[in-house]
Amino acid sequence: MESTQDLSNNTTLTSTQQAQIMAAADILRAGGTVAFPTETVYGLGADITNASAISKIYRIKQRPVDHPLIVHISSLSQLAYWVQEIPEAAWTLARHFWPGALTLILPRSRHVPDNVTGGQDTVGIRVPAHPVALALLDTLGPHRALVAPSANRFGRISPTMAAHVQEELGSDVDMILDGGACDVGLESTIIRICNDSVTVLRPGGIPLSALESALDQPVTLAHKAISAIRTSGALPSHYAPDTPLSLYPAEQIWQSALKLAHENYRILVLTWSDTNKIPPINPFIEHYSMPSDPIAYGRQLYAQLRQLDHSGFDHIFVEMPPDQPVWLAITDRLERASYNQFDKKHEHK
């Protein structure tokens, strides 16, 4: 595997950085794979015009072939090439949030291959807001795009630093572009637009209130709507560490941790609030405090879960986020990360 120096998140790239991006583009054109930074998480990229390269993405990630990939383009001007129908609401959102952490689900054009969409008639598409990603897309040239799910094994914690990609995928990837830590740290918000209805299929880096403000209309959440469209990160179990993770209200978390600690399980308690912040004295329990600000919490979440996953705990107990719209994406990720995890480990201990 070929690696690069740190392409930090600057708006101006040096000549050395540009040379690294040129090398990455050559690898992609030749049918290789490149992990690259976005503002959300690191993506595992392949040239959309190369069927063999796209197959490598599924193989490297161990991803089901009917699970669609998000297409990354360099600018709004390219949207009409990859999409055959663009509702006015889509134009409004794209102009407002691109480049940025917003993925639009729209009817695909004939240029989008079946193996990108999982055989569906729609495609997820976005313009990433990271100078390295944009430079790479520009270097690929017109009528080229990158299909890029997160650069990790399927269902696992998404990477927010190049070291996470190296740790998990290693030499399976032909090149890793290091662009520093991701600024958002959570995946993009996925939106479906059908007639006059706008639905969030996956909450993410763009909050609900911002979408409604841009559109000047209500936006529906997927759990309140019926949708047959398969999208990235929509399975009940996803974004999961190997260590079982369970969610608890603040008033229950320490009592639950003590119960297992008395059975000699090592418990890590992750809290964000001031409620019961001082942990009980117990050699089997450790405590880590997360930010109470949702933006800072989201930026740190995946990196912390990865670190804690290697720390030898039997269980990770996480305080439930507030029931507020600004915490929606974080709650979504933690609920999927905790899906069936606790019971599985407890049965085999």
Side-chain angles (χ1 to χ4, degrees):
M1 186 201 72
E2 192 176 351
S3 185
T4 76
Q5 67 182 70
D6 181 355
L7 304 181
S8 58
N9 195 3
N10 298 316
T11 55
T12 302
L13 301 177
T14 68
S15 57
T16 301
Q17 293 169 342
Q18 292 169 358
Q20 297 287 348
I21 290 169
M22 291 287 290
D26 287 341
I27 290 172
L28 290 165
R29 292 191 196 100
T33 58
V34 172
F36 64 96
T38 77
E39 79 283 17
T40 57
V41 299
Y42 273 72
L44 178 59
D47 183 348
I48 194 173
T49 66
N50 192 310
S52 175
I54 295 171
S55 295
K56 289 180 185 178
I57 295 291
Y58 285 102
R59 186 168 64 252
I60 291 170
K61 281 185 63 71
Q62 300 167 8
R63 183 185 181 97
V65 293
D66 65 346
H67 209 63
L69 305 173
I70 292 176
V71 175
H72 293 66
I73 58 177
S74 64
S75 69
L76 178 60
S77 63
Q78 295 186 2
L79 181 60
Y81 182 79
W82 301 105
V83 172
Q84 68 175 356
E85 181 183 335
I86 308 171
E88 187 56 39
W91 282 119
T92 298
L93 290 173
R95 292 187 185 107
H96 200 91
F97 294 109
W98 283 358
L102 178 72
T103 295
L104 297 173
I105 304 292
L106 296 168
R108 62 172 176 151
S109 75
R110 61 183 176 83
H111 304 294
V112 178
D114 284 346
N115 60 351
V116 170
T117 68
Q120 299 178 114
D121 293 330
T122 55
V123 62
I125 193 163
R126 83 178 186 102
V127 179
H130 194 292
V132 173
L134 291 173
L136 180 59
L137 287 161
D138 281 336
T139 303
L140 282 175
H143 298 165
R144 300 248 187 173
L146 288 177
V147 293
S150 56
N152 55 283
R153 306 295 182 195
F154 185 70
R156 289 272 300 150
I157 305 169
S158 298
T160 56
M161 293 189 287
H164 299 161
V165 183
Q166 176 63 51
E167 174 188 41
E168 187 154 338
L169 301 184
S171 60
D172 287 347
V173 184
D174 296 312
M175 186 175 188
I176 300 173
L177 288 173
D178 187 345
C182 298
D183 188 53
V184 175
L186 297 173
E187 295 81 1
S188 62
T189 301
I190 298 180
I191 293 288
R192 182 197 180 194
I193 300 169
C194 183
N195 299 323
D196 295 328
S197 175
V198 180
T199 303
V200 174
L201 300 183
R202 179 183 70 183
I206 306 295
L208 193 67
S209 59
L211 297 168
E212 293 182 329
S213 177
L215 291 169
D216 194 24
Q217 72 177 70
V219 173
T220 305
L221 296 178
H223 67 272
K224 297 178 182 178
I226 298 174
S227 176
I229 292 180
R230 298 187 303 276
T231 60
S232 296
L235 297 180
S237 178
H238 218 79
Y239 315 112
D242 287 331
T243 307
L245 183 151
S246 298
L247 284 171
Y248 288 95
E251 60 272 17
Q252 296 180 13
I253 194 165
W254 290 113
Q255 180 182 358
S256 300
L258 279 168
K259 182 178 179 181
L260 279 189
H262 289 155
E263 300 177 25
N264 295 339
Y265 287 91
R266 287 197 64 214
I267 310 298
L268 186 283
V269 177
L270 207 67
T271 65
W272 60 268
S273 71
D274 291 330
T275 305
N276 299 327
K277 207 158 191 175
I278 300 176
I281 298 174
N282 188 294
F284 290 93
I285 298 177
E286 292 188 31
H287 174 245
Y288 186 87
S289 183
M290 290 288 284
S292 59
D293 172 69
I295 294 176
Y297 191 114
R299 188 178 293 129
Q300 295 182 26
L301 176 60
Y302 288 157
Q304 288 300 334
L305 287 182
R306 280 182 172 271
Q307 180 179 335
L308 297 172
D309 206 17
H310 298 308
S311 300
F313 293 102
D314 293 306
H315 300 279
I316 300 172
F317 284 9
V318 181
E319 180 185 358
M320 288 181 177
D323 185 16
Q324 300 171 5
V326 291
W327 287 85
L328 191 63
I330 294 166
T331 301
D332 174 82
R333 302 310 189 271
L334 289 172
E335 286 177 346
R336 297 182 196 276
S338 65
Y339 188 79
N340 282 343
Q341 288 289 302
F342 175 82
D343 290 339
K344 184 197 301 187
K345 182 68 172 278
H346 196 56
E347 286 172 359
H348 296 290
K349 178 73 174 175

